[in-house]
Amino acid sequence: MSTAARPGGLKPDWLSDPKVWRTEVLAGLVVALALIPEAISFSVIAGVEPAIGLFASFTMAVTIAVVGGRRAMISAATGAVALVIGPLNREHGLGHLVAAVILAGVFQIVLGALGVAKLLRFVPRSVMVGFVNSLAILVFMAQIPEMSRVPWAVYPLIAAGLALMVFFPKVTTVVPAPLVSIAVLTVITLGAGIAVPTVGDKGALPSSLPVPGLPDVPFTLDTLKTIAPYALAMALVGLMESLMTAKLVDEITDTRSNKTRESIGQGIANIVTGLLGGMGGCAMIGQTMINVKVSGARTRLSTFLAGAFLMVLCIVFGPVVSDIPMAALVAVMVMVSFATFDWHSIAPGTLRRMPAGEIAVMVITVGCVVATHNLAIGVVVGSITAMVVFARRVAHLAAVTSVTDPEGGRVVYSVTGELFFASSNDLVGQFDYAGDPDSVLIDLSRAHIWDASSVAALDAIETKYARRGKTVKITGLNAPSADLHDRLSGELTAGP
């Protein structure tokens, strides 16, 4: 119990334990530093000023820390959301973008209340592994522009930053290694006068807090028609990434989160962000990994402080933050990408033991995400692929065996397995309609009927026997199968 009060009225861990407090505060500071260049970059993608993305990161993090369902997860402006709503901004302006963010928040609250989080149970492990690995690849790919066509001094600085993050924890873990790396590289570049790209080169930092207000758009049906498709797309992409990230953090921390609360919380955070003029957002996997996996944070305090420190750094320490070399932040994100990637999943021993279908699902998920730069698309395509693989595998588990009565007057067919659209297609062809005796018994005591396709297949079998003057009796149906069969049998084909 990290943030909730313990039994007996004791304080939360981060208030009663100085060690937890230190971890959460320093983790929030590291994440805030990493958020600044990312938020600015996402602002460029969306076609808005850097302050819009920074405001979104501030309001999303602070709000979700209170209303979210997953402790220590970071929500802020993201590339996925920027890609979705960027075209709306370019075509209709910032007012429509902000209005779409607010409407997306409303959609997320409705979807959350309807239980959309429960759909996460249909995401198989192979898709989850592909999601994690593709995330690591995207995080690394996002750093490539910062390592291309830059002064030669950038490369030894990145190497030094990585070395610090690898070896400093062996000395002490009191201070997060990423924070030490950022501080040391900043001092080196400023002290030695090394000219390398800095955070300030990404854009001007805001000098004041955001001001609340309604979007500058006409409140008409035409405006709603314009923003609704973008808002719905943003809501779905945001929920997908947030719920998948929450599931990942659940596994890393060995704790459970409230996915429904997280869904509704994302909606509330986006509404607050829109009313404060931000570009909206969702869970950020890279920064969440910095917070949870690298820095060891476990409570809502780190999430709240990440947003609070972000504004403090921009408004109060803007000139200092502007001098941080991008090489320091690139080193942090490269370390995050390597720490996030599931190296065990591609080990030769693992690949030899894994079913080919599982490997294919993982590869397809990674390929779709890397090709589209959209985690949500990869998860959807991967999940559909997994369902097809599963259906093909289960379809072959349905079997039919026959035993003829010694007197030759009746044949008994025993059907075993799961009968659904994939397996039932082969069912009709496994009976000897011409050679069987006049009485046919189909025993389904070891089978289960799942859908209308299976009922239709049984009807077709009965029809084929009836045309030859033979009678069919179906027995052994369990209660759900019998109910479905009774309701649909004879009703699935039009009469003559």
Side-chain angles (χ1 to χ4, degrees):
M1 288 180 294
S2 297
T3 57
R6 295 177 176 179
L10 296 179
K11 296 178 181 179
D13 283 353
W14 55 268
L15 280 178
S16 59
D17 188 341
K19 190 175 181 179
V20 173
W21 168 268
R22 182 179 63 246
T23 299
E24 300 299 312
V25 171
L26 294 177
L29 181 57
V30 173
V31 172
L33 289 169
L35 277 174
I36 293 174
E38 296 251 332
I40 295 174
S41 299
F42 298 148
S43 298
V44 173
I45 293 174
V48 298
E49 296 179 359
I52 304 299
L54 290 165
F55 287 157
S57 295
F58 161 61
T59 54
M60 287 293 298
V62 169
T63 306
I64 206 68
V66 178
V67 301
R70 172 64 259 178
R71 297 190 298 271
M73 190 168 76
I74 304 297
S75 291
T78 62
V81 169
L83 288 170
V84 170
I85 61 176
L88 177 64
N89 177 62
R90 286 188 285 273
E91 294 175 18
H92 300 279
L94 180 61
H96 282 73
L97 181 149
V98 172
V101 170
I102 296 173
L103 183 58
V106 174
F107 284 150
Q108 288 177 327
I109 292 175
V110 172
L111 290 170
L114 292 175
V116 70
K118 295 178 181 178
L119 296 176
L120 200 62
R121 71 182 68 176
F122 297 107
V123 178
R125 183 184 180 279
S126 53
V127 174
M128 191 68 187
V129 173
F131 172 82
V132 170
N133 290 346
S134 58
L135 155 70
I137 294 171
L138 286 186
V139 169
F140 183 82
M141 290 175 62
Q143 311 315 309
I144 293 177
E146 305 299 336
M147 296 185 282
S148 305
R149 299 178 182 177
V150 293
W152 68 268
V154 168
Y155 303 110
L157 286 173
I158 293 175
L162 290 171
L164 277 169
M165 285 182 283
V166 170
F167 296 109
F168 186 80
K170 300 180 184 301
V171 178
T172 179
T173 56
V174 172
V175 182
L179 184 58
V180 174
S181 176
I182 293 170
V184 170
L185 294 189
T186 302
V187 170
I188 290 175
T189 54
L190 291 178
I194 302 174
V196 292
T198 64
V199 171
D201 296 332
K202 288 290 184 179
L205 302 181
S207 57
S208 62
L209 290 171
V211 178
L214 295 175
D216 184 19
V217 295
F219 291 88
T220 62
L221 185 59
D222 287 339
T223 300
L224 180 61
K225 290 179 180 179
T226 300
I227 66 174
Y230 294 95
L232 181 59
M234 175 185 164
L236 294 174
V237 169
L239 284 180
M240 178 76 74
E241 292 209 17
S242 298
L243 294 176
M244 290 294 290
T245 305
K247 185 176 181 180
L248 177 59
V249 177
D250 288 353
E251 294 180 1
I252 292 173
T253 62
D254 197 23
T255 58
R256 295 186 64 181
S257 59
N258 187 329
K259 305 296 192 306
T260 297
R261 177 176 173 178
E262 181 62 35
S263 302
I264 296 173
Q266 287 290 327
I268 295 172
N270 272 307
I271 291 174
V272 172
T273 298
L275 292 175
L276 289 169
M279 57 179 276
C282 62
M284 292 193 75
I285 307 181
Q287 274 64 26
T288 297
M289 290 301 100
I290 294 176
N291 197 45
V292 174
K293 203 164 187 178
V294 179
S295 301
R298 292 294 184 271
T299 77
R300 298 179 187 274
L301 181 63
S302 58
T303 305
F304 181 87
L305 289 179
F309 281 149
L310 174 63
M311 278 294 98
V312 172
L313 289 170
C314 290
I315 296 173
V316 180
F317 299 102
V320 176
V321 173
S322 295
D323 288 333
I324 294 175
M326 284 300 301
L329 300 175
V330 168
V332 172
M333 297 310 293
V334 169
M335 179 62 74
V336 168
S337 70
F338 275 85
T340 302
F341 196 91
D342 186 351
W343 296 101
H344 178 71
S345 68
I346 61 171
T350 303
L351 294 177
R352 281 195 299 269
R353 288 189 292 269
M354 287 283 287
E358 300 281 321
I359 297 173
V361 169
M362 180 180 71
V363 172
I364 288 172
T365 302
V366 172
C368 286
V369 172
V370 173
T372 63
H373 284 233
N374 191 317
L375 290 162
I377 291 177
V379 170
V380 171
V381 173
S383 297
I384 293 174
T385 305
M387 291 177 187
V388 172
V389 171
F390 175 77
R392 285 176 57 85
R393 187 181 303 162
V394 175
H396 299 299
L397 297 180
V400 179
T401 57
S402 64
V403 177
T404 304
D405 188 352
E407 298 180 0
R410 187 176 71 167
V411 62
V412 178
Y413 283 93
S414 178
V415 182
T416 60
E418 308 301 318
L419 301 182
F420 65 112
F421 62 90
S423 59
S424 61
N425 287 333
D426 298 329
L427 187 64
V428 178
Q430 298 191 52
F431 293 81
D432 185 5
Y433 302 102
D436 283 341
D438 291 342
S439 177
V440 178
L441 179 68
I442 301 178
D443 180 10
L444 296 176
S445 58
R446 291 187 292 171
H448 186 94
I449 298 175
W450 287 103
D451 59 9
S453 298
S454 303
V455 177
L458 292 173
D459 284 353
I461 293 169
E462 291 186 82
T463 300
K464 287 179 179 292
Y465 277 118
R467 288 173 181 169
R468 293 168 172 80
K470 302 176 181 182
T471 59
V472 175
K473 183 179 181 181
I474 297 176
T475 63
L477 290 172
N478 57 38
S481 298
D483 178 66
L484 184 64
H485 184 264
D486 291 343
R487 283 189 289 111
L488 297 181
S489 183
E491 303 293 333
L492 298 173
T493 56

